[in-house]
């Protein structure tokens, strides 16, 4: 028989096709599910060789659930990054063993005598160090507790994911803030208030019998950036969450989160005693109410022994609260704090209150209500304030409560979900906004008293410290709706770990892990991210404008909107456009908000000549012909800013186009589609706003 190559190949065709299909099946879909934990093979051959020399096996001696989790993560990740099986070792029998654990669970780590240093780093801190063990070159990831070792393991993986050297490493790190939480505004019916990425991740109808395996990936992602708690339900809370039926479901979620160092918390409805058990009152001083909360806390801790505590929105936007009974916020908070204290739980009491009878200017209200209560809260209470005094606007000055509460720990609440920043349609990286907030100097103890330092407890010695972020996660395959919205989840976690982080560095870190290490891709993506927030501010609400967004939906600007329900829900109330000018007078001649800030900020904000231009309309009613620093009059400056915002979006779209073929097509297309909408919106919004303002300024647009 003669050999015919053609006939041979024909014969082989079905097998070749099968082989092709199989190989495709092993290629990961780039649908964004893997977030920043992609673990694809290191694509730089020189680095790959060096990583393979430094990493050959994993050695974890401890057997706690957390150590199992970190071992599993390292094995999966290193196998993917190094594109070869990484074995589990029992002794450091070869160079390149990664030894992970704590002195109390690992005799090998104990033998290094690092206990003092590890104790100083605290239970969540860690040390990653090249060291010689039993005559072999190893890398040790050590902590005083397994959770710290898990955080250290993720840090170690990040070094490889971002192509850093593993030679002679010595890294120590620890969180600067104790409570680093995601606040989920998830409702009982699976919807998410201000959620733009699908339904809730918690499937109440399936729980507790079936726990969605996705929750483990949620926990991994959070642990990788140091988040250690999740408030599972909306601050506009349904009391049913506190019933036994739901507590059992929550316990099932808690058991998936626990090995990853994440505690569960709940938003508590202050009227729960009345609503659940038909008590005649929910008055915080009523003995039956006090007993009800005590019993409830006991029940919760029987079901969830490491329950974190309660978040409370009280006497705000129709939520009930202590003021319904003539009691103060402190009396309300202390009621719950007293019930939780024996179990080690905490209360996060929100300062997002703005009852109209307190002050005609909404911005003044929270400060007026809370500062007089400083010192009246129990030890396990934190007051939780949004970053700005209004409501998660694209730019606000920091809320003056930061620095004003000397005895009560102030927990900073940020919003990761882009309620006022383009939902999951616009590409807006929030890192620069958070950096601006944390770097703001409150002057509460002289210069250098930044918000970061206040929140870290470095200005007033807070016993508890915390940062929370309203989550942007949902059931969408890519978790956050927009591929770039994942960066906001990532950056939030890293800022909560260290509020003095650099937004740009974090953008780089995220980009390398999410889009790859190609230098051009990294610089293009980082540049897009770093301009995106200022662009958004410019095409919606430049120069300190605020509250401009449309009713309820909060997507597009609608600066003339008047809400018949409440004056302070109306855009027109904030924008204050009239024939004279634009903006809210909060000077000493106006609402006097400037004096809620410490000197010299109060004087600086009060004087139109020294007020930063980016906050001008927040503090001043600015005449249309006012001369700006650029030499332009205010009307033209405003026009110019809207134009810059739009141009920046065009630039972002062009930059993204340059990456066609350099990043995977699946995510490329998703971003591309969204950028097209963003360009469309930016143009429409700029025109809409300028036309509205022109009806007051009566000044012409410059010829273009
Ligand atoms: C506003 C939201 C609203 C929230 C509220 C809050 O529009 O949905 O319930 O904040 O933070 O920004 O309580």
């Amino acid at each position: 028989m003669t050999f015919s190559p053609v006939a041979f190949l024909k014969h082989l065709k079905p097998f070749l096709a099968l082989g092709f299909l199989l190989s495709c099946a092993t290629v990961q879909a780039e649908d964004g599910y893997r977030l920043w934990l992609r673990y694809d093979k290191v694509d730089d051959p020189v680095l790959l060789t060096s990583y393979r020399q430094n990493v050959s096996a994993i050695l974890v001696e401890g057997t706690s659930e957390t150590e199992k989790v970190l071992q599993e993560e390292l094995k999966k990740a290193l196998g993917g990054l190094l594109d070869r099986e990484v074995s589990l070792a029992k002794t450091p029998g070869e160079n390149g063993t990664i030894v992970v654990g704590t002195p109390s669970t690992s005799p090998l780590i104990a033998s290094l005598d690092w206990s003092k240093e590890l104790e100083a780093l605290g239970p969540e801190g860690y040390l990653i160090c090249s060291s010689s063990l039993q005559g072999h070159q190893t890398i040790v990831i050590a902590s005083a507790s397994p959770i710290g070792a898990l955080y250290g393991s993720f840090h170690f993986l990040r070094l490889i994911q971002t192509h850093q050297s593993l030679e002679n490493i010595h890294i120590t790190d620890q969180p600067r803030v104790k409570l680093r939480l995601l606040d989920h505004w998830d409702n009982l019916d699976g919807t998410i208030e201000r959620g733009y990425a699908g339904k809730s991740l918690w499937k109440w109808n399936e729980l507790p019998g079936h726990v969605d395996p996705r929750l483990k990936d949620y926990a991994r992602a959070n642990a990788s950036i140091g988040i250690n708690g999740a408030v599972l339900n909306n601050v506009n809370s349904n009391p049913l969450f506190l019933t036994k039926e739901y507590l059992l479901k929550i316990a099932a979620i808690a058991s998936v989160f626990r090995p990853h160092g994440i505690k569960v918390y709940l938003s508590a409805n202050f009227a729960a005693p009345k609503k659940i058990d038909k008590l005649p009152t929910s008055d915080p001083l009523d003995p039956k109410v006090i007993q009800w909360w005590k019993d409830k806390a006991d029940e919760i801790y029987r079901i969830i022994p490491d329950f974190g505590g309660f978040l409370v929105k009280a006497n705000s936007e129709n939520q009930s609260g202590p003021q319904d009974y003539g009691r103060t916020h402190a009396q309300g908070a202390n009621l719950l704090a007293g019930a939780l204290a024996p179990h080690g739980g905490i209360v996060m009491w929100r300062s997002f209150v703005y009852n109209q009878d307190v002050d005609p200017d909404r911005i003044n209200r929270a400060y007026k209500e809370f500062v007089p209560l400083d010192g009246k809260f129990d030890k396990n209470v934190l007051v939780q304030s949004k970053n700005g005094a209004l409501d998660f606007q694209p730019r606000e000055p920091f809320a003056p409560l930061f620095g004003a509460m000397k005895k009560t720990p102030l927990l900073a609440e940020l919003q990761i979900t882009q309620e006022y920043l383009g939902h999951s349609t616009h590409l807006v990286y929030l890192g620069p906004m958070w950096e601006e907030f944390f770097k703001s100097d409150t002057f509460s103890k002289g210069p250098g008293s930044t918000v970061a330092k206040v929140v870290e407890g470095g200005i007033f010695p807070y016993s508890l410290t915390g940062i929370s972020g309203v989550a942007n996660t949902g059931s969408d395959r890519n978790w956050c709706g927009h591929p770039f919205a994942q960066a906001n989840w990532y950056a939030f976690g890293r800022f909560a770990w260290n509020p003095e982080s650099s937004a740009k560095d974090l953008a780089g870190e995220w980009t390398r892990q999410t889009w790859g290490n190609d230098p051009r891709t990294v610089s293009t993506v980082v540049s897009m991210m770093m301009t995106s927030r200022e662009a958004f501010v410019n095409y919606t609400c430049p120069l300190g404008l605020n509250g401009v967004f449309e009713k309820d939906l909060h997507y597009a600007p609608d600066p003339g909107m008047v809400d018949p329900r409440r004056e302070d829900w109306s855009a027109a109330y904030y924008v204050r456009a009239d024939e004279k000018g634009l903006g809210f007078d909060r000077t000493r001649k106006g609402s006097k908000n400037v004096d809620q800030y410490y000197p010299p900020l109060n004087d600086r904000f009060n004087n139109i000549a020294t007020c930063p231009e980016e906050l001008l309309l927040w503090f001043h009613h600015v005449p249309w012909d006012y001369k700006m620093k650029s030499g332009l009059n205010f009307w033209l400056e405003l026009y110019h800013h809207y134009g810059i915002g739009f141009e920046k979006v065009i630039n972002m779209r062009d930059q993204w186009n340059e990456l066609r073929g350099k990043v995977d097509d699946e995510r490329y297309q998703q971003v591309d589609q969204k950028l097209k909408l963003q360009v469309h919106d930016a143009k429409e919004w700029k025109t809409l706003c300028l036309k509205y303002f022109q009806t007051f300024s009566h000044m012409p647009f410059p010829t273009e």
Side-chain angles (χ1 to χ4, degrees):
M1 203 172 86
T2 52
F3 175 70
S4 145
V6 176
F8 177 73
L9 277 178
K10 245 189 187 167
H11 206 66
L12 222 62
K13 223 167 140 192
F15 297 102
L16 287 175
L18 181 69
F20 176 73
L21 280 179
L22 283 176
S23 75
C24 286
T26 56
V27 170
Q28 287 274 3
E30 286 290 8
D31 54 12
Y33 183 84
R34 294 184 297 160
L35 296 160
W36 48 89
L37 303 174
R38 288 166 65 253
Y39 304 148
D40 288 339
K41 180 180 173 182
V42 172
D43 58 7
D44 176 323
V46 179
L47 271 176
L48 181 63
T49 310
S50 120
Y51 290 152
R52 283 178 169 173
Q53 277 159 6
N54 280 294
V55 180
S56 58
I58 304 159
L59 199 169
V60 181
E61 290 176 296
T63 55
S64 68
E65 288 302 311
T66 300
E67 281 157 315
K68 281 187 205 149
V69 158
L70 71 85
Q71 177 171 293
E72 192 185 323
E73 190 75 27
L74 285 169
K75 183 150 172 54
K76 175 177 157 188
L78 294 172
L81 290 161
L82 307 188
D83 194 29
R84 70 167 188 202
E85 178 81 12
V86 177
S87 59
L88 299 178
K90 292 220 160 20
T91 58
E94 52 181 321
N95 286 342
T97 303
I98 310 301
V99 181
V100 196
T102 73
S104 49
T105 56
S106 163
L108 267 173
I109 291 178
S111 76
L112 288 166
D113 215 12
W114 290 349
S115 297
K116 263 211 180 125
E117 197 173 350
L118 295 179
E119 286 305 324
L121 287 169
E124 294 180 310
Y126 53 82
L127 177 65
I128 309 176
C129 196
S130 308
S131 356
S132 170
L133 270 174
Q134 298 180 355
H136 296 283
Q137 204 42 47
T138 64
I139 294 177
V140 178
I141 306 173
S143 170
S145 88
I147 295 299
L150 176 66
Y151 291 152
S153 302
F154 276 115
H155 188 142
F156 174 69
L157 292 174
R158 191 156 65 229
L159 295 176
I160 303 181
Q161 289 176 285
T162 57
H163 287 194
Q164 295 180 55
S165 165
L166 296 183
E167 306 291 338
N168 298 320
I169 45 175
H170 184 107
I171 296 169
T172 56
D173 203 2
Q174 70 192 115
R176 298 194 186 185
V177 169
K178 284 186 190 144
L179 303 161
R180 306 177 300 278
L181 313 185
L182 285 189
D183 287 0
H184 291 270
W185 286 359
D186 292 19
N187 298 316
L188 208 76
D189 63 2
T191 57
I192 304 178
E193 180 150 344
R194 311 302 175 189
Y196 312 105
K199 294 286 211 112
S200 173
L201 291 167
W202 336 127
K203 297 183 178 160
W204 299 115
N205 52 344
E206 293 179 3
L207 288 160
H210 178 256
V211 186
D212 186 347
R214 185 167 183 168
L215 296 197
K216 186 173 174 189
D217 288 330
Y218 164 89
R220 287 176 50 235
N222 276 334
S224 77
I225 49 176
I227 287 170
N228 65 3
V231 182
L232 298 184
N233 61 320
N234 193 352
V235 283
N236 300 315
S237 69
N238 190 318
L240 284 182
F241 279 110
L242 293 176
T243 60
K244 185 164 184 200
E245 184 190 350
Y246 277 89
L247 293 175
L248 292 171
K249 294 171 192 278
I250 290 156
I253 297 179
S255 62
V256 178
F257 290 180
R258 189 169 295 117
H260 299 83
I262 298 164
K263 283 187 182 181
V264 298
Y265 297 76
L266 286 176
S267 292
N269 185 307
F270 197 78
K274 257 172 101 174
K275 292 197 175 153
I276 299 180
D277 284 324
K278 311 248 176 323
L279 260 59
T281 175
S282 292
D283 180 349
L285 300 192
D286 185 289
K288 286 208 180 71
V289 173
I290 296 172
Q291 189 60 41
W292 189 91
W293 282 105
K294 195 182 162 311
D295 293 344
K296 187 45 76 183
D298 294 347
E299 182 190 3
I300 293 176
Y301 281 90
R302 270 197 305 277
I303 300 174
I304 311 161
D306 56 351
F307 179 70
F310 293 137
L311 170 64
V312 189
K313 171 175 178 176
N315 292 117
S316 167
E317 300 183 339
N318 302 323
Q319 294 294 301
S320 98
Q323 293 177 338
D324 301 351
Y325 307 96
R327 315 296 184 195
T328 67
H329 282 290
Q331 287 170 316
N334 294 346
L335 163 73
L336 306 187
L340 295 172
H343 307 282
I346 57 137
V347 172
M348 295 165 284
W349 193 268
R350 294 178 92 221
S351 63
F352 181 65
V353 296
Y354 54 98
N355 290 335
Q356 278 156 309
D357 51 1
V358 175
D359 190 286
D361 182 358
R362 170 167 164 183
I363 301 309
N364 284 341
R365 297 173 191 158
Y367 182 100
K368 281 195 163 176
E369 289 222 50
F370 277 86
V371 175
L373 297 176
D374 191 20
K376 302 218 161 76
F377 292 92
D378 283 359
K379 276 207 172 62
N380 55 336
V381 178
L382 300 103
V383 167
Q384 172 160 326
S385 169
K386 294 188 181 184
N387 56 296
L390 179 49
D391 189 9
F392 298 137
Q393 299 298 292
R395 170 167 283 125
E396 295 184 47
F398 70 89
L401 267 183
F402 292 96
M405 301 291 274
K406 299 181 178 160
K407 298 179 192 137
T408 315
L410 214 65
L411 185 155
E413 179 181 311
L414 309 176
Q415 195 181 42
I416 312 170
T417 190
Q418 292 165 238
E419 174 178 356
Y420 295 98
L421 285 117
H423 296 186
S424 56
T425 301
H426 289 216
L427 190 167
V428 185
Y429 171 52
L430 303 176
M433 179 165 89
W434 296 333
E435 182 175 331
E436 182 177 300
F437 165 63
F438 285 122
K439 276 194 172 150
S440 303
D441 200 339
T442 68
F443 291 92
S444 47
K445 259 201 188 165
S449 311
T450 60
V451 169
K453 291 261 180 294
V454 170
V455 172
E456 290 167 14
I459 302 297
F460 311 110
Y462 296 157
S463 53
L464 286 170
T465 53
I467 295 180
S468 66
V470 181
N472 65 351
T473 49
S475 60
D476 277 7
R477 181 69 193 160
N478 73 0
W479 303 87
C480 303
H482 196 306
F484 275 78
Q486 295 178 354
N488 293 331
W489 180 8
Y490 183 87
F492 168 76
R494 307 280 289 127
F495 268 111
W497 180 273
N498 177 5
E500 286 161 77
S501 296
S502 134
K504 191 170 181 197
D505 290 353
L506 295 182
E509 226 178 76
W510 174 79
T511 303
R512 287 171 180 278
Q513 295 173 83
T514 309
W515 298 100
N517 285 277
D518 167 62
R520 210 179 107 207
T521 307
V522 174
S523 67
T524 307
V525 170
V526 170
S527 139
M528 290 169 65
M529 289 169 77
M530 291 306 290
T531 51
S532 59
R533 182 267 187 147
E534 203 59 40
F536 189 90
V537 167
N538 275 315
Y539 64 78
T540 56
C541 52
L543 297 169
L545 258 181
N546 259 282
V548 296
F549 293 92
E550 67 189 317
K551 198 164 135 192
D552 299 330
L553 197 61
H554 301 165
Y555 181 63
D558 182 6
M561 185 269 286
V562 174
D563 191 325
R565 296 168 298 180
R566 265 182 85 141
E567 188 194 30
D568 55 7
W569 286 348
S570 305
Y573 166 86
Y574 297 101
V575 167
R576 309 220 155 185
D578 60 23
E579 311 290 310
K580 283 197 199 132
L582 193 64
F584 202 127
D585 183 357
R586 298 198 162 100
T587 66
R588 290 173 188 135
K589 292 199 181 109
S591 82
K592 304 186 174 46
N593 173 260
V594 292
D595 280 325
Q596 290 189 350
Y597 291 92
Y598 283 88
L601 283 184
N602 52 359
D603 293 335
R604 193 178 293 163
F605 291 152
N606 188 56
N607 181 345
I608 191 166
T610 55
C611 180
E613 285 195 345
E614 59 184 26
L615 295 174
L616 209 55
L617 302 169
W618 178 276
F619 289 112
H620 295 269
H621 190 67
V622 182
W624 296 111
D625 60 359
Y626 177 74
K627 194 164 175 211
M628 302 290 288
K629 294 198 177 88
S630 64
L632 295 175
N633 68 32
F634 169 63
W635 166 247
L636 289 181
E637 182 86 19
L638 188 70
Y639 177 87
H640 179 62
H641 274 267
Y642 274 100
I644 292 179
F646 173 59
E647 276 162 32
K648 294 269 185 221
V649 181
I650 300 273
N651 278 348
M652 268 160 51
R653 186 204 54 197
D654 293 347
Q655 284 181 296
W656 188 248
N657 287 346
E658 285 169 27
L659 295 183
R660 187 193 300 271
K662 288 191 85 67
V663 298
D664 58 282
D665 203 48
E666 199 171 340
R667 290 182 301 165
Y668 176 83
Q669 293 297 348
Q670 270 183 40
V671 174
D672 192 51
Q673 293 305 317
K674 286 183 185 277
L675 279 170
K676 283 190 180 123
L677 280 172
Q678 190 168 354
V679 168
H680 164 271
D681 287 347
K683 185 166 186 193
E684 197 173 284
W685 296 358
K686 134 186 135 94
T687 311
L688 178 154
C689 292
L690 285 170
K691 278 200 174 144
Y692 171 76
F693 297 136
Q694 195 184 36
T695 62
F696 297 94
S697 78
H698 306 297
M699 291 163 100
F701 295 129
T703 40
E704 289 176 90

